[in-house]
Amino acid sequence: MQIIKAKQSVDNIICGKITLELELPHEILSIIASQEKPDLKSLKEYIARGHEWLLARHRSGASGFETVNGHTLLIDRLLQRLFLDAKNEALARYSANEERCSIVAIGGYGRGELNPYSDIDVLFLYPSKMNSYLKSLTEGILYHLWDLGLTVGFSTRNTADCVKIAKSDLTARTALMDTRLIAGDEALYVEMEEVVLKDVIGKGVDDFIRDKVKEGEERHAKYGSSVYILEPNIKEGEGGLRDIHTALWVSKARFKAGTFRQLMKKGVINPKELKFFERSTEFLFRVRNELHYLSGRKNDQMMFDYQEKIAAFMGFRDTGQHLAVEGFMRGYYIYARNVSQFSRMLIKRASAGPGIGGRLLHKMIQREIGEGFKVFHNSITVTRPENVHLEALPYKYPMRNSYTLAAEIRQIGECVAKGYPRLALQPLRSDWCSIVGFGP
């Protein structure tokens, strides 16, 4: 069986081009790799033992990223095996109609974000028209997935179909921003990816960002419009994982950077902001993994009954001042607030440019302005917070409102707490408050 080998990092697991470093134990992988064609019983054993192994690692302290990596890998290997068997069967029956085909992971699966009971979304990609060979191949794979009880979302399209639906449907366009080849013809996948990036994602960026912002506002309204919900939805609620996804989608459309690390290299975010993202996302992933395990199903609503159990799993304990669950929820709200602020800030930067004419001046847009600050698309970013003298800045560098500075105020405050002697924080004046978007 041909296995796609790759490597994995915290950065690319969430950003679309996941590569997998973790490998399944030989005794688990051999259940489906050593047989000429594994039967349904063997496939079920493979899934069950894979889940048991990942659960044991999770309960032993594996990171949230590692667990979603593992579940992604578990399904990758399964699909690669099923593709090989289904292709052989289709060739035996319809060899005259053999056609290129690829299995492409999309959406959350494409990002490598498979929590224990996440949906598995795949695209069966072919060059032109569906025929008897392709129908046999796709059905052979899907029937096995359904028999295994997995929740699968699927579509069968050629490249032209992908472009057409992406232009007319926001959800489809967004899903095609997070794709990854699982098995099949690599050249076919690369062709589709390049066409979609050029003809869909690379055009109408301002409209796309506006539509995603509107979609996010509607989603927040549905789930409470606040981080501080008593029973929060860890995926769709404000400060949840979907806020991170939205920030990445609009950044990919605007800056052509598919990962947060690439955004940092381009100067869109700084290392401090990257660290906020990584720590907060790790926390949310680990909590969501435990919520799935406790529920025994896909579940993103952190009900009261689950909060105490998750608090214990995350290492929170009762103290004389507060209960363990209170400490856990306080921590959750802090992380969710960080996610919400960071995402809004990044969307703000993407919304600010570069526009049609601004692309020619891209290298000039980012500039150092001294005293520990730089400007990026009319947003002020702290580069050396220990050197900043805050009281003089509003008069020297008047800028429009920005989520950026709201986040940087917190960064400067942390520098004060660490005792940087050269940092002079004076009471915020009304003109400074207007710059960062606060009321006077």
Side-chain angles (χ1 to χ4, degrees):
M1 180 177 67
Q2 183 181 6
I3 297 295
I4 295 177
K5 292 291 185 181
K7 292 187 181 292
Q8 159 71 24
S9 75
V10 164
D11 186 51
N12 60 23
I13 190 172
I14 193 172
C15 300
K17 297 302 162 207
I18 175 181
T19 52
L20 303 172
E21 184 176 73
L22 178 70
E23 187 53 90
L24 300 172
H26 174 74
E27 59 269 22
I28 295 177
L29 189 58
S30 63
I31 297 172
I32 61 171
S34 61
Q35 302 181 43
E36 183 175 342
K37 182 183 177 183
D39 56 17
L40 182 60
K41 180 180 179 181
S42 297
L43 295 175
K44 287 184 175 179
E45 181 185 359
Y46 166 78
I47 291 294
R49 291 185 60 182
H51 273 271
E52 291 172 0
W53 179 71
L54 289 166
L55 174 59
R57 291 174 65 89
H58 167 75
R59 291 277 162 80
S60 298
S63 71
F65 286 102
E66 186 178 341
T67 299
V68 298
N69 184 170
H71 279 281
T72 299
L73 180 62
L74 185 70
I75 300 302
D76 279 3
R77 297 292 182 256
L78 173 66
L79 283 173
Q80 289 163 6
R81 174 78 243 198
L82 293 178
F83 180 85
L84 178 63
D85 294 339
K87 181 178 180 180
N88 289 336
E89 285 192 7
L91 280 173
R93 299 173 62 187
Y94 307 105
S95 59
N97 295 324
E98 181 182 0
E99 185 58 276
R100 295 188 297 160
C101 182
S102 302
I103 302 180
V104 179
I106 63 175
Y109 181 32
R111 290 190 302 272
E113 290 182 7
L114 279 189
N115 296 92
Y117 294 96
S118 293
D119 296 346
I120 303 164
D121 295 318
V122 295
L123 164 67
F124 293 93
L125 182 67
Y126 53 90
S128 55
K129 295 182 179 180
M130 176 67 72
N131 61 22
S132 54
Y133 169 83
L134 293 170
K135 184 178 180 182
S136 174
L137 191 154
T138 56
E139 288 180 348
I141 294 171
L142 289 171
Y143 288 158
H144 279 95
L145 295 175
W146 292 331
D147 287 342
L148 290 170
L150 300 174
T151 304
V152 182
F154 74 97
S155 57
T156 55
R157 298 190 179 105
N158 57 34
T159 296
D161 293 334
C162 291
V163 171
K164 183 178 179 180
I165 192 171
K167 287 182 176 179
S168 61
D169 185 273
L170 180 64
T171 300
R173 178 178 180 177
T174 305
L176 287 172
M177 297 180 77
D178 298 316
T179 63
R180 186 168 53 88
L181 178 66
I182 303 301
D185 193 288
E186 183 176 5
L188 180 63
Y189 166 72
V190 171
E191 176 189 341
M192 181 276 294
E193 185 183 39
E194 290 178 348
V195 170
V196 169
L197 286 173
K198 178 182 177 181
D199 295 346
V200 181
I201 297 175
K203 296 181 179 179
V205 172
D206 291 336
D207 290 340
F208 175 75
I209 293 176
R210 184 185 64 249
D211 291 343
K212 295 307 294 185
V213 169
K214 181 181 178 182
E215 181 183 72
E217 291 172 349
E218 293 172 350
R219 172 171 50 83
H220 288 160
K222 179 179 179 180
Y223 290 95
S225 296
S226 174
V227 167
Y228 304 102
I229 300 296
L230 294 179
E231 295 179 317
N233 187 298
I234 198 168
K235 179 183 177 182
E236 303 289 351
E238 185 161 352
L241 289 165
R242 187 61 81 208
D243 282 359
I244 296 173
H245 302 156
T246 301
L248 269 174
W249 290 326
V250 301
S251 296
K252 184 173 186 178
R254 175 64 76 194
F255 303 115
K256 306 302 181 287
T259 71
F260 281 108
R261 204 163 295 276
Q262 290 172 1
L263 289 171
M264 184 181 70
K265 289 179 179 179
K266 289 192 172 188
V268 182
I269 63 175
N270 61 40
K272 183 74 172 181
E273 291 162 347
L274 178 65
K275 185 176 180 180
F276 272 138
F277 153 74
E278 290 179 337
R279 291 181 61 188
S280 299
T281 307
E282 162 62 23
F283 180 87
L284 292 177
F285 269 160
R286 200 149 189 259
V287 170
R288 193 185 187 211
N289 291 334
E290 179 65 8
L291 183 57
H292 277 211
Y293 281 129
L294 290 174
S295 306
R297 60 182 176 84
K298 179 183 176 181
N299 177 25
D300 297 317
Q301 197 76 35
M302 199 155 53
M303 309 295 286
F304 291 130
D305 291 345
Y306 293 120
Q307 291 176 14
E308 290 187 6
K309 297 175 182 178
I310 297 174
F313 165 74
M314 297 293 286
F316 289 85
R317 299 291 182 265
D318 292 343
T319 68
Q321 286 74 39
H322 56 73
L323 299 175
V325 67
E326 294 172 343
F328 163 67
M329 290 306 296
R330 185 178 296 111
Y332 168 80
Y333 293 137
I334 291 173
Y335 280 112
R337 182 192 64 196
N338 286 346
V339 167
S340 179
Q341 291 181 349
F342 178 88
S343 301
R344 288 173 183 269
M345 173 193 66
L346 195 49
I347 292 170
K348 182 73 173 180
R349 291 176 185 173
S351 300
I356 295 176
R359 293 188 183 93
L360 299 175
L361 300 175
H362 180 74
K363 293 183 179 180
M364 299 175 61
I365 291 173
Q366 181 184 178
R367 68 183 191 277
E368 295 285 342
I369 58 176
E371 301 184 54
F373 283 84
K374 68 178 177 181
V375 175
F376 184 86
H377 296 315
N378 278 341
S379 292
I380 301 174
T381 300
V382 173
T383 58
R384 298 185 304 279
E386 69 274 17
N387 296 336
V388 174
H389 292 268
L390 204 59
E391 71 280 3
L393 189 68
Y395 303 101
K396 296 175 67 175
Y397 310 111
M399 292 286 160
R400 68 187 186 189
N401 292 352
S402 171
Y403 287 109
T404 302
L405 240 48
E408 303 304 339
I409 289 292
R410 181 176 66 250
Q411 182 177 344
I412 294 171
E414 291 176 358
C415 291
V416 174
K418 292 178 181 178
Y420 287 117
R422 296 181 61 188
L423 181 64
L425 279 177
Q426 300 296 327
L428 293 180
R429 306 173 65 112
S430 60
D431 46 3
W432 175 259
C433 292
S434 68
I435 292 174
V436 300
F438 299 149

